[in-house]
Amino acid sequence: MNASTENRHAYIHDRITIEGGGRGRMIEMIRDRWAPHLERRHGVRLVGVWATVGSTADWPEVRVQWEMEDWAQFARAQEGQYPMEERDVFLTELWNQALDYRKRGHSMLLRAAPFSPDVASIAADGIGGDVILHEDVRSLPGRMADYHAALLSEYLPLAEARGLRLLGAYEHALVPNLGMNLWALRDWPHWQSLMESEPDDAELAAWTVRQGEWLADIDGFLVAVPPSGALRT
Amino acid sequence: MNANIYLHEVIYTVPGREEPYMASVASLHHDPTRDHRMDSGAVQQFRTVQTSGPWPGVINIWEKTWAGQTEDLVGQFLDTKRDSAMEDWWNRNLHLRRGGYDRLLIPTDYSPTIAELAARDVTGEVFWHEIAWLPFGEPRRYLDTLGERLLPALDEFGLDLIGAYRVAMRPRQVLTIIGARDWSRLGALLDASTSHAGMQQWNAYRASTVDQADELLLLPARHGTLYTRP
């Protein structure tokens, strides 16, 4: 990958704890109103909004990821939004309406690995699917760059051979040794076949062991892309 | 050989509503409109006891297959094969629980199925539940060692293995559950942990291998198959 195609965008990843049965409504609100507003007004692009798959991690929960052109545009977008009561009344209204669906969350500022696709290349290459494998990564001290290098050179070919497509690989911009990977799976039967073949997949088992060279831990779980109106919980 | 998988749920119940929650979620598995779903039912539901680890809370463990689990998720996240009974239940019982954290478990070959537990009339008054974090590459070896070293000691002390699992997509984690037919057997096992040769050997391996462990002592739901009835 040459320098001109390296991903230098800035990202925000939101983990939103849902109140009661508001998960579907929160996702629709972000898709229909929040994301179009942020893009039009502040140039912030939606990477994705997903429902965490409860059988694999926290529930009920929604995950959202935003892309900004660079850190300068990140700063302009944040300055344009906050304090929102003064600078963006529509965002203020959305924020207050969303209190019916969520009252708290946890966000991360992320820097993409150079080879991580951006929103434009995700769209151009048609990267996506019904199911996303989300991996929270914690590296050994100072080893995230080495892990990303190995991810690109060693794991990416294994993953692609199994039908996974890289949607993103990131490191935390503020907290050392934290990162996150996103992989697109075609559909639910694809996930089922990956799970059924995992116990006998010697190549993946070898990679899992090898990750210990760079990582302290990695936690995988699924997030899903429900079609409009599908999610009623 | 146990060819099933297991859905493990940690439920953040509304305090004081543990038993109503467990009965409520169990009722879904008796709903005749959901009979077609591929699901063996509950291994057991448990509530935490104020003896070890965080409380209050509920643990559910369901026996499934990858095909059945996939069908459930398709019904939840796509607009086909909707599970309307589940959706209605979910929204009707928000007053019983606030959320949860789930894992999908892959059993060892020696981990018993529901049918095998029933055939052996396994019940328990208290259950020892552990999630352990191990070095990369160690979980399978850990579970093999557990089978070789701990299971004979459990037999000796009259305790039962309820399950021993790897965690799907979380390569450092293993989860084990041991059942004691009464508290005294658990007490005897803990008492022997520093004096019994087999337990010493197992605990030395554990201490040198486990990076972190979350421990819970659990009581079985009274409607469950592992509950000891008078």
Side-chain angles (χ1 to χ4, degrees):
Chain A
M1 181 164 291
N2 61 50
S4 65
T5 59
E6 286 185 0
N7 185 336
R8 297 180 181 278
H9 302 311
Y11 293 85
I12 299 174
H13 184 87
D14 298 323
R15 171 183 179 175
I16 301 171
T17 303
I18 294 299
E19 295 285 321
R23 189 171 52 166
R25 288 188 288 272
M26 185 78 225
I27 288 174
E28 308 247 338
M29 178 188 232
I30 289 169
R31 273 186 188 147
D32 296 343
R33 295 194 285 159
W34 209 303
H37 173 71
L38 283 190
E39 177 145 22
R40 187 172 57 194
R41 173 99 179 233
H42 303 289
V44 175
R45 301 181 285 263
L46 179 69
V47 180
V49 52
W50 307 286
T52 301
V53 174
S55 299
T56 64
D58 282 297
W59 54 267
E61 185 182 88
V62 165
R63 299 264 178 165
V64 194
Q65 183 145 327
W66 308 98
E67 180 182 271
M68 287 140 287
E69 191 59 28
D70 50 30
W71 292 107
Q73 197 244 328
F74 156 78
R76 286 194 300 276
Q78 301 303 304
E79 192 174 35
Q81 290 173 64
Y82 301 113
M84 66 174 77
E85 293 81 357
E86 174 190 294
R87 299 183 185 180
D88 191 336
V89 291
F90 185 65
L91 188 62
T92 306
E93 179 60 18
L94 289 178
W95 210 95
N96 288 326
Q97 284 182 21
L99 287 171
D100 287 347
Y101 315 136
R102 59 96 177 98
K103 291 190 169 53
R104 60 191 178 280
H106 185 277
S107 298
M108 297 191 290
L109 278 178
L110 299 174
R111 179 181 290 117
F115 55 88
S116 183
D118 61 6
V119 165
S121 56
I122 288 168
D125 296 342
I127 303 171
D130 294 337
V131 192
I132 307 296
L133 171 62
H134 176 128
E135 294 176 322
D136 282 328
V137 172
R138 187 161 56 88
S139 78
L140 296 169
R143 302 304 303 275
M144 188 64 81
D146 295 335
Y147 168 68
H148 277 158
L151 194 72
L152 177 63
S153 64
E154 296 182 37
Y155 182 60
L156 193 57
L158 294 179
E160 288 181 338
R162 287 154 182 79
L164 279 73
R165 300 189 72 188
L166 181 67
L167 195 62
Y170 313 91
E171 64 174 340
H172 202 297
L174 303 179
V175 182
N177 307 317
L178 287 185
M180 195 184 93
N181 304 326
L182 298 172
W183 302 91
L185 282 63
R186 285 189 302 276
D187 50 26
W188 287 104
H190 183 201
W191 174 71
Q192 180 185 337
S193 71
L194 290 173
M195 293 294 97
E196 287 174 337
S197 61
E198 183 266 350
D200 301 317
D201 192 326
E203 284 183 324
L204 281 188
W207 166 253
T208 297
V209 174
R210 185 149 164 66
Q211 287 181 116
E213 189 173 323
W214 315 285
L215 297 186
D217 206 355
I218 183 167
D219 277 346
F221 58 91
L222 302 180
V223 297
V225 189
S228 180
L231 201 57
R232 296 181 188 162
T233 56
Chain B
M1 170 77 182
N2 183 342
N4 298 297
I5 63 158
Y6 294 83
L7 170 59
H8 176 279
E9 305 176 308
V10 179
I11 313 292
Y12 312 135
T13 40
V14 173
R17 307 296 286 161
E18 292 79 24
E19 287 280 355
Y21 166 76
M22 288 190 289
S24 171
V25 71
S27 75
L28 264 176
H29 295 264
H30 299 274
D31 184 339
T33 68
R34 302 180 74 248
D35 276 351
H36 59 288
R37 301 230 160 237
M38 294 182 274
D39 191 338
S40 304
V43 175
Q44 181 61 38
Q45 296 174 272
F46 307 93
R47 62 191 165 104
T48 54
V49 59
Q50 194 175 333
T51 307
S52 179
W55 46 268
V58 161
I59 303 282
N60 298 323
I61 304 178
W62 311 96
E63 188 170 270
K64 311 189 74 142
T65 61
W66 285 119
Q69 182 64 44
T70 303
E71 181 189 52
D72 284 355
L73 296 174
V74 167
Q76 190 178 156
F77 291 104
L78 297 181
D79 223 357
T80 56
K81 298 184 180 176
R82 296 186 72 108
D83 189 351
S84 300
M86 169 66 91
E87 290 172 353
D88 291 345
W89 174 85
W90 178 282
N91 290 314
R92 204 171 50 246
N93 289 283
L94 294 168
H95 62 292
L96 298 177
R97 72 339 183 191
R98 300 210 166 98
Y101 188 96
D102 297 354
R103 292 173 170 86
L104 290 166
L105 307 179
I106 302 163
T108 58
D109 285 347
Y110 61 77
S111 189
T113 63
I114 291 176
E116 288 166 346
L117 290 168
R120 298 208 299 261
D121 289 324
V122 173
T123 63
E125 194 172 38
V126 59
F127 295 81
W128 177 9
H129 172 283
E130 177 181 85
I131 304 169
W133 281 256
L134 302 160
F136 283 100
E138 190 67 21
R140 290 176 202 243
R141 195 156 42 233
Y142 178 91
L143 292 169
D144 288 346
T145 308
L146 185 149
E148 293 160 10
R149 297 187 186 174
L150 182 62
L151 290 194
L154 295 182
D155 279 343
E156 192 176 327
F157 285 91
L159 282 84
D160 297 293
L161 179 75
I162 307 302
Y165 316 96
R166 289 190 297 124
V167 179
M169 300 181 285
R170 297 172 189 268
R172 290 193 52 208
Q173 298 179 24
V174 299
L175 194 148
T176 53
I177 308 172
I178 294 164
R181 291 174 191 253
D182 49 60
W183 281 90
S184 65
R185 296 190 200 205
L186 177 63
L189 182 78
L190 295 175
D191 187 43
S193 64
T194 55
S195 56
H196 181 278
M199 288 300 293
Q200 281 178 325
Q201 197 181 23
W202 166 245
N203 283 326
Y205 167 70
R206 257 170 58 82
S208 66
T209 310
V210 173
D211 281 341
Q212 176 195 335
D214 287 350
E215 309 289 336
L216 290 172
L217 292 184
L218 302 172
L219 303 179
R222 284 174 288 184
H223 56 259
T225 53
L226 298 183
Y227 179 67
T228 305
R229 290 176 175 80

